[in-house]
């Protein structure tokens, strides 16, 4: 049995209880060493075999899984944040299907929600945006043309941009084009929840200079939208003049 586990964004306490238990019980842990906090490995049994997937190919990862599974070992594949977002788990699961090996996926706290928590904001504000767009600039992995940052930005939804801080100028140019204005608030969160977390606040006008001055190129979230700094309508859910399924409106 292979358990794909979301390790969370950094702080080792931000893993699920289930994920932590699986790490404690694992005979083999394959972890994404470039982004997963090594503190998670402190919870492994002493005899647990640990593999850093950042120096492995897909084929090598599957070999370790297959051999371990044949021997009846409990295997954890530890991914940063939530495995479903830029996790490259589908290609692993498809190979496990071909090999008839059972697996499960345990979700995690993604870095985009952890970053929103770091700036103490809410992506979905009434009257501002009720949509969160999770995206990235093309890098080694291409992005379909219909999902260009300009096109996505034209919706004025709240946005979380992964894997793109190294080209902050490119991000800003495309966002300006899509928004048609430059006073849009932006927060760049570097290593959210790690001890050396950094938060840079700005707008499309000045964020690029600020980010370059601090020298942030990777390991960062770019959060964009008026949700960061705006007026909004209060929610109906907690409004005394509205009834809900659980509460009568006050007269
Ligand atoms: N599955 C992960 C994302 C993996 S892709 C998740 O759910 O968060 C790797 C990218 O995620 C990084 O380039 C960066 O953009 C973002 N990222 C991961 N951890 C981060 C953190 N602690 N703070 C800010 N961004 C982070």
């Amino acid at each position: 049995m292979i358990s794909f586990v979301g390790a969370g964004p950094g702080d080792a306490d931000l893993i699920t209880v289930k994920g932590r238990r699986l790490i404690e019980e694992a005979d083999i842990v394959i972890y994404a060493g470039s982004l997963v906090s090594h503190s998670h490995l402190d919870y492994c049994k002493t005899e647990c075999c640990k593999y850093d997937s950042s120096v492995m190919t897909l084929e090598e990862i599957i070999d370790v899984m297959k051999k371990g599974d044949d021997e009846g070992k409990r295997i954890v594949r530890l991914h940063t944040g939530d495995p479903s977002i830029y996790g490259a788990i589908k290609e692993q699961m498809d190979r496990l299907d071909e090999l008839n090996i059972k697996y499960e996926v345990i979700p995690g706290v993604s870095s985009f929600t952890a970053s929103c928590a770091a700036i103490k904001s809410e992506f979905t504000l009434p009257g501002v945006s009720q949509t969160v767009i999770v995206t990235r600039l093309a890098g080694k992995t291409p992005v379909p043309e219909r999902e260009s940052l300009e096109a996505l930005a034209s919706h004025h939804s709240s946005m979380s941009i992964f894997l793109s801080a190294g080209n902050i100028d490119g991000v800003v140019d495309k966002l300006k084009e899509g928004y048609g204005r430059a006073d849009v608030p932006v927060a760049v969160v570097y290593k959210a929840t790690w001890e050396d977390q950094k938060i840079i606040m700005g707008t499309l006008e000045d964020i690029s200079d600020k980010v370059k001055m601090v020298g942030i190129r990777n390991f960062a979230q770019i959060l964009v939208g008026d949700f960061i700094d705006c007026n909004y309508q209060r929610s109906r859910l907690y409004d005394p003049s509205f009834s809900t399924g659980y509460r009568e409106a006050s007269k």
Side-chain angles (χ1 to χ4, degrees), residues 96-126:
L96 295 176
D97 282 338
E98 283 163 19
L99 295 167
N100 242 333
I101 296 174
K102 288 203 169 51
Y103 55 84
E104 62 180 347
V105 183
I106 314 298
V109 176
S110 177
S111 61
F112 85 95
T113 51
S115 296
C116 196
I119 62 163
K120 302 189 178 81
S121 288
E122 178 177 348
F123 282 122
T124 50
L125 292 176

Side-chain angles (χ1 to χ4, degrees), residues 178-216:
Y179 262 91
R181 48 182 255 253
D183 62 350
V184 184
V186 184
V188 173
V189 184
Y190 169 76
K191 289 187 90 172
T193 80
W194 290 70
E195 277 183 8
D196 48 347
Q197 164 183 297
K198 288 193 183 77
I199 297 175
I200 320 281
M201 306 294 294
T203 65
L204 289 178
E205 204 65 80
D206 59 9
I207 196 72
S208 183
D209 286 346
K210 289 181 174 174
V211 162
K212 283 190 263 179
M213 202 136 69
V214 181
I216 294 171

Side-chain angles (χ1 to χ4, degrees), residues 9-145:
D11 179 347
D13 283 351
L14 288 175
I15 192 169
T16 59
V17 173
K18 190 165 191 171
R20 171 65 56 75
R21 181 174 54 73
L22 288 164
I23 290 178
E24 286 168 348
E25 293 169 355
D27 303 303
I28 297 174
V29 171
I30 308 169
Y31 63 99
S34 50
L35 289 169
V36 166
S37 166
H38 291 207
S39 312
H40 288 293
L41 306 178
D42 297 342
Y43 295 88
C44 293
K45 300 186 287 196
T46 38
E47 64 273 27
C48 175
C49 289
K50 303 169 198 111
Y51 296 85
D52 179 354
S53 64
S54 63
V55 293
M56 297 167 79
T57 61
L58 172 62
E59 286 70 15
E60 287 166 343
I61 292 167
I62 299 298
D63 280 351
V64 170
M65 290 176 171
K66 165 98 176 77
K67 187 157 171 292
D69 190 68
D70 286 348
E71 293 168 1
K73 302 230 161 113
R74 281 166 294 185
I75 304 165
V76 164
R77 173 69 169 108
L78 197 55
H79 281 271
T80 182
D82 184 274
S84 70
I85 299 177
Y86 306 118
I89 58 167
K90 176 76 172 144
E91 59 188 24
Q92 298 173 67
M93 296 189 294
D94 283 347
R95 279 173 176 72
L96 295 176
D97 282 338
E98 283 163 19
L99 295 167
N100 242 333
I101 296 174
K102 288 203 169 51
Y103 55 84
E104 62 180 347
V105 183
I106 314 298
V109 176
S110 177
S111 61
F112 85 95
T113 51
S115 296
C116 196
I119 62 163
K120 302 189 178 81
S121 288
E122 178 177 348
F123 282 122
T124 50
L125 292 176
V128 179
S129 174
Q130 292 290 292
T131 304
V132 187
I133 293 176
V134 168
T135 188
R136 59 168 299 169
L137 277 189
K140 286 196 191 78
T141 308
V143 173
E145 180 53 36

Side-chain angles (χ1 to χ4, degrees), residues 133 137 146-157 159 161 169-184 204 224-226:
I133 293 176
L137 277 189
R146 62 183 178 277
E147 297 181 352
S148 73
L149 210 48
E150 310 87 290
L152 297 179
S154 70
H155 294 281
H156 295 201
S157 304
M159 294 180 96
I161 306 172
D169 284 332
V171 170
V172 164
D173 285 349
K174 290 171 199 295
L175 290 175
K176 276 186 184 159
E177 190 183 327
Y179 262 91
R181 48 182 255 253
D183 62 350
V184 184
L204 289 178
V224 186
D226 287 315

